[in-house]
Short mmCIF file of all heavy atoms in Angstrom, two decimals:
data_model
loop_
_atom_site.label_atom_id
_atom_site.label_comp_id
_atom_site.label_asym_id
_atom_site.label_seq_id
_atom_site.Cartn_x
_atom_site.Cartn_y
_atom_site.Cartn_z
N LYS S 2 24.41 -0.11 82.61
CA LYS S 2 23.08 -0.23 83.20
C LYS S 2 22.44 -1.54 82.76
O LYS S 2 22.73 -2.06 81.69
CB LYS S 2 22.20 0.93 82.75
CG LYS S 2 22.66 2.27 83.29
CD LYS S 2 21.70 3.35 82.87
CE LYS S 2 22.14 4.68 83.44
NZ LYS S 2 21.21 5.75 83.11
N ALA S 3 21.58 -2.07 83.61
CA ALA S 3 20.90 -3.33 83.32
C ALA S 3 20.05 -3.22 82.06
O ALA S 3 19.98 -4.17 81.27
CB ALA S 3 20.03 -3.74 84.50
N THR S 5 20.62 -1.42 79.40
CA THR S 5 21.51 -1.49 78.25
C THR S 5 21.98 -2.92 78.03
O THR S 5 22.03 -3.40 76.89
CB THR S 5 22.73 -0.56 78.47
OG1 THR S 5 22.27 0.75 78.73
CG2 THR S 5 23.64 -0.57 77.27
N ALA S 6 22.31 -3.61 79.11
CA ALA S 6 22.76 -5.01 79.00
C ALA S 6 21.66 -5.88 78.40
O ALA S 6 21.94 -6.73 77.54
CB ALA S 6 23.18 -5.53 80.36
N LEU S 8 19.24 -4.93 76.41
CA LEU S 8 19.09 -4.55 75.00
C LEU S 8 20.16 -5.23 74.15
O LEU S 8 19.85 -5.79 73.09
CB LEU S 8 19.18 -3.03 74.84
CG LEU S 8 19.21 -2.51 73.40
CD1 LEU S 8 17.89 -2.77 72.70
CD2 LEU S 8 19.56 -1.05 73.36
N ARG S 11 19.34 -9.01 73.95
CA ARG S 11 18.23 -9.31 73.03
C ARG S 11 18.67 -9.19 71.58
O ARG S 11 18.32 -10.02 70.74
CB ARG S 11 17.05 -8.37 73.30
CG ARG S 11 16.14 -8.81 74.40
CD ARG S 11 14.83 -8.03 74.41
NE ARG S 11 15.00 -6.59 74.38
CZ ARG S 11 15.13 -5.82 75.45
NH1 ARG S 11 15.10 -6.37 76.64
NH2 ARG S 11 15.27 -4.53 75.33
N THR S 12 19.45 -8.15 71.28
CA THR S 12 19.94 -7.96 69.92
C THR S 12 20.84 -9.12 69.51
O THR S 12 20.74 -9.63 68.39
CB THR S 12 20.71 -6.63 69.80
OG1 THR S 12 19.85 -5.57 70.20
CG2 THR S 12 21.17 -6.37 68.39
N SER S 13 21.72 -9.54 70.40
CA SER S 13 22.61 -10.66 70.11
C SER S 13 21.82 -11.94 69.87
O SER S 13 22.12 -12.70 68.94
CB SER S 13 23.59 -10.89 71.27
OG SER S 13 24.51 -9.84 71.36
N ARG S 16 20.15 -11.91 66.40
CA ARG S 16 21.07 -12.01 65.27
C ARG S 16 21.88 -13.30 65.27
O ARG S 16 22.65 -13.55 64.36
CB ARG S 16 22.04 -10.83 65.28
CG ARG S 16 21.36 -9.51 65.07
CD ARG S 16 22.37 -8.38 65.25
NE ARG S 16 21.73 -7.10 65.21
CZ ARG S 16 21.67 -6.32 64.14
NH1 ARG S 16 22.22 -6.71 63.02
NH2 ARG S 16 21.07 -5.16 64.20
N PRO S 20 22.87 -20.27 68.65
CA PRO S 20 22.62 -19.77 70.00
C PRO S 20 23.58 -20.29 71.08
O PRO S 20 23.86 -19.59 72.02
CB PRO S 20 21.19 -20.22 70.30
CG PRO S 20 20.57 -20.41 68.97
CD PRO S 20 21.66 -20.83 68.05
N GLY S 22 26.72 -21.42 70.35
CA GLY S 22 28.03 -21.52 69.70
C GLY S 22 29.07 -20.65 70.37
O GLY S 22 29.01 -20.35 71.55
N ILE S 25 30.82 -15.74 67.88
CA ILE S 25 31.50 -14.96 66.86
C ILE S 25 30.50 -14.24 65.97
O ILE S 25 30.65 -13.05 65.69
CB ILE S 25 32.42 -15.87 66.00
CG1 ILE S 25 33.43 -16.59 66.87
CG2 ILE S 25 33.08 -15.09 64.90
CD1 ILE S 25 34.38 -15.69 67.62
N SER S 26 29.46 -14.92 65.53
CA SER S 26 28.48 -14.28 64.65
C SER S 26 27.78 -13.12 65.34
O SER S 26 27.54 -12.08 64.74
CB SER S 26 27.44 -15.29 64.15
OG SER S 26 26.66 -15.80 65.22
N GLU S 27 27.50 -13.28 66.64
CA GLU S 27 26.83 -12.22 67.38
C GLU S 27 27.71 -10.98 67.45
O GLU S 27 27.23 -9.86 67.32
CB GLU S 27 26.48 -12.69 68.80
CG GLU S 27 25.44 -13.77 68.87
CD GLU S 27 25.99 -15.16 68.65
OE1 GLU S 27 27.18 -15.30 68.31
OE2 GLU S 27 25.23 -16.12 68.81
N ALA S 37 31.55 -2.54 71.09
CA ALA S 37 32.43 -1.85 72.03
C ALA S 37 32.07 -2.21 73.47
O ALA S 37 32.96 -2.44 74.31
CB ALA S 37 32.37 -0.35 71.82
N ALA S 42 33.68 -5.28 78.44
CA ALA S 42 33.29 -6.01 79.66
C ALA S 42 34.45 -6.87 80.12
O ALA S 42 35.04 -7.61 79.34
CB ALA S 42 32.07 -6.88 79.38
N ARG S 43 34.79 -6.78 81.40
CA ARG S 43 35.93 -7.53 81.94
C ARG S 43 35.52 -8.89 82.48
O ARG S 43 36.30 -9.81 82.50
CB ARG S 43 36.60 -6.72 83.05
CG ARG S 43 37.24 -5.48 82.52
CD ARG S 43 37.87 -4.70 83.64
NE ARG S 43 38.37 -3.43 83.15
CZ ARG S 43 39.63 -3.07 83.23
NH1 ARG S 43 40.50 -3.85 83.78
NH2 ARG S 43 40.00 -1.91 82.74
N ASP S 44 34.29 -9.00 82.95
CA ASP S 44 33.80 -10.25 83.53
C ASP S 44 33.39 -11.21 82.41
O ASP S 44 32.52 -10.88 81.60
CB ASP S 44 32.62 -9.96 84.44
CG ASP S 44 32.07 -11.18 85.15
OD1 ASP S 44 32.71 -12.26 85.07
OD2 ASP S 44 31.00 -11.07 85.77
N PRO S 45 33.97 -12.41 82.34
CA PRO S 45 33.62 -13.35 81.27
C PRO S 45 32.14 -13.77 81.31
O PRO S 45 31.55 -14.03 80.27
CB PRO S 45 34.53 -14.55 81.50
CG PRO S 45 35.30 -14.29 82.74
CD PRO S 45 35.03 -12.91 83.19
N ARG S 46 31.56 -13.80 82.51
CA ARG S 46 30.13 -14.15 82.60
C ARG S 46 29.27 -13.06 81.97
O ARG S 46 28.28 -13.34 81.30
CB ARG S 46 29.72 -14.35 84.06
CG ARG S 46 30.42 -15.55 84.68
CD ARG S 46 30.03 -15.77 86.13
NE ARG S 46 28.66 -16.23 86.16
CZ ARG S 46 27.67 -15.61 86.81
NH1 ARG S 46 27.91 -14.54 87.52
NH2 ARG S 46 26.46 -16.09 86.78
N LYS S 48 30.23 -11.06 79.55
CA LYS S 48 30.42 -11.17 78.10
C LYS S 48 29.52 -12.25 77.53
O LYS S 48 28.88 -12.05 76.50
CB LYS S 48 31.88 -11.48 77.76
CG LYS S 48 32.76 -10.28 77.84
CD LYS S 48 34.14 -10.58 77.29
CE LYS S 48 34.99 -9.34 77.48
NZ LYS S 48 36.16 -9.30 76.67
N TYR S 50 26.75 -13.32 78.77
CA TYR S 50 25.38 -12.83 78.86
C TYR S 50 25.08 -11.87 77.70
O TYR S 50 24.06 -11.98 77.04
CB TYR S 50 25.17 -12.12 80.21
CG TYR S 50 23.80 -11.51 80.35
CD1 TYR S 50 22.71 -12.29 80.71
CD2 TYR S 50 23.58 -10.15 80.10
CE1 TYR S 50 21.44 -11.74 80.83
CE2 TYR S 50 22.32 -9.60 80.21
CZ TYR S 50 21.25 -10.38 80.58
OH TYR S 50 20.00 -9.84 80.68
N LEU S 51 25.98 -10.93 77.47
CA LEU S 51 25.78 -9.95 76.41
C LEU S 51 25.74 -10.59 75.03
O LEU S 51 25.05 -10.11 74.14
CB LEU S 51 26.88 -8.88 76.45
CG LEU S 51 26.89 -7.98 77.68
CD1 LEU S 51 28.11 -7.09 77.68
CD2 LEU S 51 25.62 -7.16 77.78
N GLY S 53 24.42 -13.38 74.43
CA GLY S 53 23.16 -14.10 74.32
C GLY S 53 23.23 -15.57 74.65
O GLY S 53 22.29 -16.31 74.36
N PHE S 54 24.32 -16.03 75.26
CA PHE S 54 24.41 -17.44 75.63
C PHE S 54 23.34 -17.80 76.65
O PHE S 54 22.99 -16.99 77.51
CB PHE S 54 25.79 -17.75 76.23
CG PHE S 54 26.89 -17.83 75.22
CD1 PHE S 54 27.66 -16.74 74.94
CD2 PHE S 54 27.13 -19.01 74.54
CE1 PHE S 54 28.68 -16.81 74.01
CE2 PHE S 54 28.13 -19.10 73.61
CZ PHE S 54 28.92 -17.99 73.34
N ASN S 56 23.59 -20.87 78.53
CA ASN S 56 24.25 -21.59 79.62
C ASN S 56 25.43 -20.78 80.12
O ASN S 56 26.51 -20.80 79.55
CB ASN S 56 24.74 -22.96 79.13
CG ASN S 56 23.60 -23.83 78.64
OD1 ASN S 56 22.51 -23.75 79.20
ND2 ASN S 56 23.81 -24.61 77.62
N PRO S 58 27.89 -20.28 83.31
CA PRO S 58 28.28 -20.96 84.56
C PRO S 58 28.11 -20.05 85.77
O PRO S 58 28.25 -18.84 85.65
CB PRO S 58 29.76 -21.32 84.34
CG PRO S 58 30.22 -20.41 83.27
CD PRO S 58 29.02 -20.05 82.44
N ALA S 60 28.93 -18.10 89.27
CA ALA S 60 30.13 -17.41 89.74
C ALA S 60 30.83 -18.23 90.79
O ALA S 60 30.20 -18.91 91.60
CB ALA S 60 29.76 -16.04 90.31
#
Side-chain angles (χ1 to χ4, degrees):
K2 294 183 179 183
T5 304
L8 173 67
R11 276 193 309 271
T12 303
S13 291
R16 295 174 187 263
I25 302 299
S26 65
E27 293 83 353
R43 293 179 186 240
D44 182 9
R46 295 180 70 238
K48 282 189 183 198
Y50 177 81
L51 294 173
F54 284 94
N56 300 325

